[in-house]
């Protein structure tokens, strides 16, 4: 009681520095308590913040819609469809032998984002890509028969003029990377599961 | 808002000095949180102001995160709340924090208010401080009600219908006003939309009133258990670290109670009916407001006349505004007012009885009991308090806070010690 009161009346700091002198510049017990309390408080605040941060992540019902099965059997050679997966357009193209040959024979070394065609497909006749331009998020043209396909026979982004080839690789324009390949697998010969 | 200690040393950190010269936030924080001189004898009853502030911050924070997932539409509101409970990460936690936080907010505010009534904190020169506090309480009630409606369960919908229908008690223009409030001919989607907008707005109005409440508080500083104003440096201590630490301990105790409800009895304060989606064609068997509105609900039901009942209910809160003028006793603290103290406890009991009766069905003997309790409630303010303050023989008031503290500890007052020590340090 006496200690507290004298510290009070003289102001906490001078009494603290006197104590510090006594311990030869080492920390006082008060320093230790302050540091320990602050550390516990900081950890507590961090733990309390986590549920709030986490609540902004995709919720369980959103995640539940995160896989999609697509039946490929109705898609004829040379045709393409666009499906929506995780609110994004996914381009699925049944490539012709000619397109496969062109995509595979391309010299990888001269590409902006070097990637052989074999890394971009699971079966050469099926090209599955996320149809979002890697420049600034527009949807490239090339899915419809009358669409422009760009200078490399694949897709052309109308926003800022990026050209993609038969494998969806960036060939010309501002986009830095090839069209992304989503996570998917063949669950039988003509069905894929995205996600 | 002048600095208490003009001789405060300059800040050592040059960046802080630079900013402070241009915008004295650091000086402000030091004068109002750090060196702020506070009566040294404040008891734990003085924790509830800061707790109320913390409760409001928790409500705003959890509310903002709930609003990120909530849909204010009659077709989606109930389902979106259930989605928050089931699908949103930690949504159950955030909603239970918000739901029980409302009860905790009222709990600490009521304790804060009764503390003020006991220790005469409403008396000169703190009348405006007190009235701002009553205004905050007044603002909290519609805010809580609006939030309760948003869930769009059966209790929500019928509470909205009943409360807004009170406006129809107003002669002549009641009907047009209630249709204006509803934005239609019944509580419906437009009502829900505006309730959401207003429920989001009101807490920030409360924040504004609190800022003025604190301004008024710092004008004449806290009252204290003796009700005697500080007379010198020996009567006060710096807010930091003494009351920051004491307030933090209070926060820890508060969180134990609050989180106890959140984790172990999250639906303790709610009606199960509110987990049934709103149905405009079926009224639940009993409509019960949240516990913190029950005493006023009893006042409403006690009077068998529509308009008078509504007026009495509003008056039950508004009468607190008049407390500084109803109580003319020059002595603040009930510690030295034996008669007032006794009536204070009877009044508190009466409030609890009013609350209990509000949860009962509207039948005998509860109706008569409610009328008696309501009569006593108003009699306390209008008859007992003025009479007591006039005829009461008060006990001697201590000369100063220090003298009282020393007497309670059985030692001689430590007078003038503060000034001596300060010279020594300098």
């Amino acid at each position: 009681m006496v200690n507290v009161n004298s510290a009070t009346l003289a102001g906490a700091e001078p009494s603290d520095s006197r104590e510090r002198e006594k311990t030869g510049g080492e920390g006082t017990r008060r320093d230790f308590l302050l540091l320990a309390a602050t550390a516990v408080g900081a950890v507590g605040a961090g733990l309390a913040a986590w549920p709030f941060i986490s609540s902004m992540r995709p919720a369980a019902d959103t995640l539940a819609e995160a896989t999609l099965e697509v039946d490929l059997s109705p898609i004829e050679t040379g045709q393409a469809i666009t499906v929506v997966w995780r609110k994004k357009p996914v381009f699925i193209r049944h490539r012709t032998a000619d397109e496969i040959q062109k995509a595979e024979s391309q010299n990888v070394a001269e590409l902006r984002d070097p990637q052989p065609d074999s890394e971009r497909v699971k079966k050469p006749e099926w090209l599955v890509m996320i149809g979002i331009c890697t420049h600034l998020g527009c949807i490239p043209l090339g899915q419809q028969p009358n669409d422009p396909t760009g200078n490399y026979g694949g897709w052309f982004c109308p926003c800022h003029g990026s050209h993609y080839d038969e494998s969806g690789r960036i060939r010309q324009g501002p986009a830095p990377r090839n069209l992304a390949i989503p996570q998917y697998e063949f669950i039988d010969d003509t069905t894929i599961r995205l996600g | 808002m002048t600095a208490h200690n003009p001789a405060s040393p300059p800040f050592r950190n040059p960046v802080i000095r630079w900013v402070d010269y241009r915008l004295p936030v650091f000086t402000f924080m030091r004068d109002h949180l750090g060196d702020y001189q506070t009566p040294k004898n404040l008891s734990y009853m003085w924790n509830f102001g800061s707790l109320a502030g913390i409760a409001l911050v928790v409500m705003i924070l959890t509310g903002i995160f709930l609003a990120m997932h909530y849909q204010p539409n009659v077709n989606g509101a109930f389902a979106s709340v259930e989605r928050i409970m089931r699908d949103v990460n930690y949504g159950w936690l955030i909603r239970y924090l918000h739901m029980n936080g409302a009860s905790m907010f009222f709990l600490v505010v009521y304790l804060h208010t009764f503390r003020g009534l006991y220790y005469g904190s409403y008396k000169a020169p703190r009348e405006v401080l007190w009235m701002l506090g009553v205004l905050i309480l007044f603002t909290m009630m519609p805010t809580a009600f609006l939030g309760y409606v948003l869930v769009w369960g059966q209790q929500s919908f019928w509470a909205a219908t009943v409360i807004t229908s009170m406006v129809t008690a107003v002669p002549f223009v009641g009907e047009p006003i209630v249709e204006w409030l509803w934005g239609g001919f019944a509580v419906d989607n437009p009502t829900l939309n505006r309730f959401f907008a207003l429920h989001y707005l009101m807490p920030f109005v409360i924040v504004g009133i609190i800022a003025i409440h604190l301004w008024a508080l710092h004008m004449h500083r806290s009252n204290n258990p003796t009700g005697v104003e500080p007379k010198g440096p020996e009567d006060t201590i710096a807010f930091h670290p003494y009351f920051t630490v004491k307030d933090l301990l209070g926060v820890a105790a508060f969180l134990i109670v609050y989180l106890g409800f959140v984790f172990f009895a999250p639906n303790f304060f709610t009606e199960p009916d509110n987990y049934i989606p709103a149905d405009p064609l079926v009224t639940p068997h009993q409509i019960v407001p949240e516990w913190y509105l029950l005493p006023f609900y009893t006042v409403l039901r006690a009077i068998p006349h529509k308009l008078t009942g509504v007026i009495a209910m509003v008056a039950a809160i508004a009468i607190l505004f008049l407390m500084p003028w109803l109580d003319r006793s020059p002595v603040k603290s009930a510690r030295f007012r034996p008669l007032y103290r006794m009536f204070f406890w009877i009044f508190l009991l009466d409030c609890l009885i009013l609350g209990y009766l509000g949860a009962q069905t509207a039948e005998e003997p509860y109706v008569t009991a409610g009328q008696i309790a309501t009569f006593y409630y108003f009699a306390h303010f209008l008859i007992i308090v003025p009479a007591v303050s006039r005829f009461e023989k008060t006990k001697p008031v201590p000369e100063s806070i220090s003298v009282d503290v020393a007497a309670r500890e059985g030692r001689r007052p430590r007078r003038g010690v503060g000034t001596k020590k300060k010279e020594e340090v300098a």
Side-chain angles (χ1 to χ4, degrees):
Chain A
M1 203 55 210
V2 173
N3 251 334
V4 169
N5 261 341
S6 65
T8 308
L9 296 170
E13 221 177 7
S15 128
D16 236 22
S17 55
R18 272 204 303 277
E19 267 184 71
R20 208 166 281 129
E21 276 160 33
K22 268 189 249 167
T23 56
E26 301 272 306
T28 62
R29 281 191 296 176
R30 183 174 288 177
D31 290 334
F32 172 76
L33 282 172
L34 181 65
L35 275 173
T38 309
V40 170
V43 171
L47 288 174
W50 175 247
F52 291 92
I53 296 164
S54 178
S55 75
M56 293 172 71
R57 296 159 73 212
D61 60 335
T62 311
L63 294 177
E65 292 170 356
T67 62
L68 178 72
E69 286 182 15
V70 183
D71 179 11
L72 303 179
S73 54
I75 309 169
E76 302 288 337
T77 307
Q79 279 189 336
I81 64 162
T82 304
V83 296
V84 179
W85 172 71
R86 294 185 181 174
K87 312 281 175 185
K88 294 173 183 166
V90 171
F91 292 171
I92 300 174
R93 184 166 183 81
H94 194 167
R95 296 193 294 188
T96 61
D98 181 43
E99 284 168 346
I100 296 168
Q101 193 272 325
K102 275 186 187 161
E104 287 179 345
S105 61
Q106 173 61 39
N107 180 4
V108 174
E110 65 188 39
L111 296 176
R112 181 179 301 170
D113 182 6
Q115 204 179 20
D117 187 63
S118 56
E119 272 183 26
R120 296 181 53 78
V121 292
K122 289 197 161 53
K123 292 183 178 178
E125 63 270 36
W126 294 106
L127 178 61
V128 180
M129 304 183 298
I130 293 177
I132 294 178
C133 181
T134 58
H135 180 219
L136 290 170
C138 295
I139 299 174
L141 299 171
Q143 288 292 88
Q144 300 293 331
N146 299 329
D147 279 355
T149 55
N151 299 341
Y152 294 87
W155 289 265
F156 171 71
C157 184
C159 287
H160 305 95
S162 291
H163 299 252
Y164 296 90
D165 68 10
E166 303 86 350
S167 186
R169 293 174 293 205
I170 182 65
R171 299 298 289 272
Q172 185 187 327
R177 276 172 288 108
N178 303 334
L179 291 177
I181 306 298
Q183 191 188 1
Y184 72 96
E185 59 186 346
F186 278 87
I187 48 180
D188 61 45
D189 274 353
T190 55
T191 312
I192 59 167
R193 180 165 56 217
L194 288 157
Chain B
M1 301 286 270
T2 51
H4 175 74
N5 182 4
S8 311
F11 294 101
R12 263 176 275 172
N13 185 323
V15 177
I16 287 180
R17 262 209 312 275
W18 188 92
V19 174
D20 197 71
Y21 182 68
R22 286 149 181 87
L23 180 72
V25 279
F26 297 100
T27 300
F28 184 84
M29 271 159 51
R30 185 174 60 189
D31 292 346
H32 291 277
L33 281 170
D35 293 345
Y36 181 71
Q37 291 299 306
T38 312
K40 67 181 183 181
N41 60 336
L42 295 187
S43 70
Y44 278 109
M45 284 312 293
W46 266 260
N47 275 56
F48 296 105
S50 71
L51 286 179
I54 283 164
L56 178 62
V57 169
V58 170
M59 291 306 281
I60 290 179
L61 251 179
T62 50
I64 287 171
F65 280 86
L66 287 176
M68 292 181 191
H69 301 285
Y70 175 75
Q71 294 175 14
N73 182 290
V74 288
N75 297 318
F78 187 86
S80 74
V81 173
E82 284 307 306
R83 180 175 172 271
I84 288 168
M85 294 300 291
R86 293 150 198 257
D87 287 337
V88 174
N89 294 337
Y90 295 100
W92 58 273
L93 176 61
I94 297 172
R95 170 157 182 258
Y96 280 153
L97 282 170
H98 198 73
M99 219 167 99
N100 290 282
S103 283
M104 293 300 120
F105 193 16
F106 273 97
L107 180 69
V108 293
V109 164
Y110 280 141
L111 287 167
H112 189 61
T113 311
F114 279 112
R115 191 287 320 276
L117 287 172
Y118 187 88
Y119 290 106
S121 302
Y122 46 84
K123 294 190 183 188
R126 299 190 181 82
E127 299 95 324
V128 172
L129 171 62
W130 169 261
M131 290 165 81
L132 286 163
V134 177
L135 188 62
I136 292 169
L137 181 60
F138 232 136
T139 318
M140 280 169 64
M141 290 179 179
T143 309
F145 158 72
L146 292 170
Y148 190 69
V149 172
L150 299 186
V151 181
W152 211 245
Q154 272 291 67
Q155 290 286 335
S156 299
F157 181 87
W158 292 99
T161 302
V162 169
I163 302 273
T164 50
S165 294
M166 283 179 192
V167 179
T168 59
V170 178
F172 310 116
V173 288
E175 281 295 334
I177 291 179
V178 81
E179 283 183 4
W180 173 75
L181 280 178
W182 287 338
F185 304 106
V187 174
D188 197 4
N189 202 42
T191 325
L192 181 60
N193 281 184
R194 63 191 61 180
F195 276 25
F196 180 59
L198 293 172
H199 184 65
Y200 208 121
L201 165 75
M202 299 284 269
F204 297 98
V205 174
I206 294 177
V207 167
I209 308 173
I210 287 175
I212 310 172
H213 186 64
L214 289 176
W215 185 6
L217 172 70
H218 281 226
M219 223 34 226
H220 295 285
R221 298 165 196 273
S222 296
N223 184 28
N224 68 83
T226 65
V228 179
E229 302 296 325
K231 291 184 173 153
E234 71 278 7
D235 287 343
T236 60
I237 46 174
F239 190 81
H240 182 75
Y242 301 103
F243 288 106
T244 40
V245 165
K246 191 166 183 165
D247 277 348
L248 277 176
L249 185 63
V251 170
F254 169 72
L255 287 178
I256 288 172
V257 175
Y258 177 18
L259 297 180
F261 279 114
V262 168
F263 289 118
F264 298 104
N267 289 304
F268 182 82
F269 296 109
T270 33
E271 289 295 313
D273 267 6
N274 221 25
Y275 284 99
I276 302 168
D279 183 346
L281 297 180
V282 182
T283 305
H285 291 292
Q286 207 199 349
I287 303 268
V288 186
E290 293 282 85
W291 69 268
Y292 41 79
L293 300 175
L294 286 175
F296 306 105
Y297 187 58
T298 306
V299 173
L300 171 76
R301 292 199 300 188
I303 291 163
H305 180 265
K306 193 172 173 180
L307 180 60
T308 320
V310 174
I311 290 172
M313 188 187 67
V314 175
I317 311 162
I319 201 161
L320 286 166
F321 281 120
L322 300 178
M323 197 58 190
W325 295 278
L326 294 169
D327 181 0
R328 306 303 301 170
S329 174
V331 177
K332 287 198 188 99
S333 173
R335 199 190 263 177
F336 311 107
R337 302 185 59 195
L339 209 52
Y340 175 78
R341 186 167 64 215
M342 185 184 78
F343 282 113
F344 169 85
W345 290 113
I346 296 174
F347 173 69
L348 180 57
L349 185 68
D350 187 56
C351 291
L352 295 175
I353 290 171
L354 282 171
Y356 167 79
L357 293 172
Q360 308 309 313
T361 46
E363 58 189 32
E364 292 301 344
Y366 304 120
V367 174
T368 311
Q371 287 170 344
I372 295 168
T374 299
F375 174 79
Y376 186 84
Y377 182 93
F378 286 104
H380 176 82
F381 287 102
L382 297 174
I383 301 167
I384 295 170
V385 165
V388 163
S389 66
R390 186 147 177 212
F391 300 114
E392 182 179 36
K393 189 166 162 32
T394 56
K395 290 203 272 186
V397 172
E399 193 190 320
S400 73
I401 292 171
S402 297
V403 169
D404 181 68
V405 169
R408 294 179 144 248
E409 287 173 1
R411 56 174 174 78
R412 291 193 6 246
R414 202 189 300 277
R415 304 200 69 203
V417 177
T419 32
K420 206 175 106 199
K421 283 269 178 184
K422 265 188 184 145
E423 279 162 17
E424 202 178 88
V425 169

